[in-house]
Amino acid sequence: MPASDTPPPQPQRRRTHRWRRATLAALITAAVVAPLSAAARPQIPAPPPATLAPLTATTLDAAYKANRTNAAQASRMAAAHGDHQRAAADRAMATPSRHLLAYDGRGEGQATEVFGDLATATRIAVLVPGSDTSLDTYDRFRATAIALQDRLAREAPQGTRTAVVAWLGYTTPGTVSTTVLTTDRADQAAPRLREFITEVRHIAGRKAGISLLCHSYGTVVCARAAPGLDVQDIALVGSPGTGADTATALHTRARVWAARGSDDWVAEVPHVRADLFGWTVGFGTDPVSPAFGARVFAAGPGGHSDYFRPGSVSLANLTRIVLGDTKEVTRA
């Protein structure tokens, strides 16, 4: 075949066009299928949350007992419904050793659990989880709180009393869903988080230091709740972005920290915001970038779920932040 008859190589722009079409198709499919799938999912029956007196240091034990009773009732209802996985999760929550400040077994479920003595604590960490956290997956979130409280208890100086609160106070988005791409869930959660921090402050008193430790999509929730929030520190780990361009734009007097493990896949997420079919998707500036302006600390080689792993660099630094040992925090 003469050289002039040889077909030219496939143009790069055609491959790029096919890639863009495939991406667009995937986004549209997710936008249509994910909401329909969620709507079709049967709801797990459970009683409404227990009616509680205003939370104070003197009403904590009564609140814990009422929420354990509620979890036990939810377990029985889930078992009668045939959902034995949820029944087991509810039943575990109802054990006498659990300190539940709030409990709601309906749907995906919500729970707020305390580790340590909240009424006497002088250093308190409130953990805010990211996507795919529900009552069915709660144990892994609980494990992060236990790991942190164990390290705090070991390293706290004499006279410092610590408590950790695992706050699953909102319906988290699914990792594979359109909701995880927008601030909608965070906008709904932020007022609840703000109200909860006010309750914690009322229980523990003015002298207690409160740190907000936020993971993944939970960093978007914390950013939305941040303006004027009565906390000393806000730590953002494994963040896809916060929806704010800079730490200053969070309008908080708290120290703003950020970290990302070297093996965290969230580093590959484009840190942009864009309008797509009338939605604003993405969360903007990377919180560990100089442009954001947070205090970036070392997280070591961990992945997206490793920030609270016992023995990790990130857990050591988060412990120092909670204890107020900010000069000892190792920087990235």
Side-chain angles (χ1 to χ4, degrees):
M1 180 181 293
S4 59
D5 293 334
T6 302
Q10 187 76 358
Q12 176 67 32
R13 64 181 181 180
R14 189 172 300 172
R15 290 197 297 272
T16 302
H17 179 66
R18 285 203 302 267
W19 178 85
R20 286 177 177 169
R21 278 198 309 180
T23 302
L24 184 61
L27 287 170
I28 293 172
T29 300
V32 174
V33 173
L36 290 177
S37 299
R41 181 178 178 177
Q43 293 295 303
I44 301 168
T51 301
L52 306 174
L55 289 174
T56 66
T58 57
T59 63
L60 279 179
D61 286 342
Y64 295 156
K65 182 177 180 180
N67 286 315
R68 288 195 299 265
T69 300
N70 186 273
Q73 185 179 355
S75 178
R76 292 190 292 270
M77 292 177 69
H81 183 67
D83 195 318
H84 300 294
Q85 179 183 0
R86 175 59 63 83
D90 290 328
R91 188 165 55 252
M93 291 286 200
T95 57
S97 61
R98 306 297 278 269
H99 292 166
L100 304 176
L101 274 181
Y103 196 75
D104 187 350
R106 298 172 298 180
E108 295 295 316
Q110 297 179 15
T112 300
E113 187 170 7
V114 177
F115 304 85
D117 188 345
L118 189 59
T120 64
T122 56
R123 291 284 175 177
I124 300 166
V126 176
L127 309 188
V128 180
S131 59
D132 285 330
T133 309
S134 66
L135 290 185
D136 294 323
T137 62
Y138 179 79
D139 279 352
R140 68 188 185 195
F141 179 44
R142 185 174 191 263
T144 67
I146 292 172
L148 178 60
Q149 175 61 1
D150 285 349
R151 180 131 191 179
L152 286 170
R154 290 198 309 271
E155 299 193 7
Q158 187 173 5
T160 298
R161 297 175 298 277
T162 65
V164 174
V165 184
W167 185 80
L168 176 56
Y170 77 112
T171 302
T172 68
T175 299
V176 183
S177 71
T178 54
T179 53
V180 82
L181 301 175
T182 74
T183 63
D184 290 354
R185 292 285 175 90
D187 291 334
Q188 296 166 16
R192 301 175 191 172
L193 180 57
R194 291 177 63 84
E195 181 180 357
F196 178 68
I197 294 297
T198 299
E199 290 178 334
V200 170
R201 177 63 69 193
H202 187 59
I203 293 167
R206 299 300 314 166
K207 293 183 179 180
I210 302 176
S211 298
L212 197 57
L213 309 186
C214 321
H215 177 241
S216 194
Y217 188 87
T219 65
V220 188
V221 176
C222 292
R224 285 310 210 235
L229 201 63
D230 189 9
V231 298
Q232 278 67 53
D233 295 275
I234 299 174
L236 314 170
V237 295
S239 178
T242 64
D245 291 328
T246 64
T248 301
L250 299 182
H251 301 292
T252 177
R253 289 178 294 179
R255 292 177 289 254
V256 179
W257 304 82
R260 185 167 61 227
S262 60
D263 292 332
D264 189 342
W265 57 262
V266 85
E268 306 303 322
V269 173
H271 290 90
V272 297
R273 279 198 304 273
D275 290 327
L276 182 68
F277 308 121
W279 294 338
T280 299
V281 298
F283 304 110
T285 311
D286 185 349
V288 300
S289 70
F292 189 76
R295 304 179 184 212
V296 180
F297 63 93
H304 193 62
S305 300
D306 294 333
Y307 291 96
F308 295 86
R309 181 170 49 80
S312 64
V313 172
S314 54
L315 182 60
N317 279 324
L318 288 168
T319 299
R320 293 166 185 146
I321 290 169
V322 175
L323 292 177
D325 296 333
T326 56
K327 292 182 180 180
E328 301 301 319
V329 175
T330 56
R331 300 301 185 93

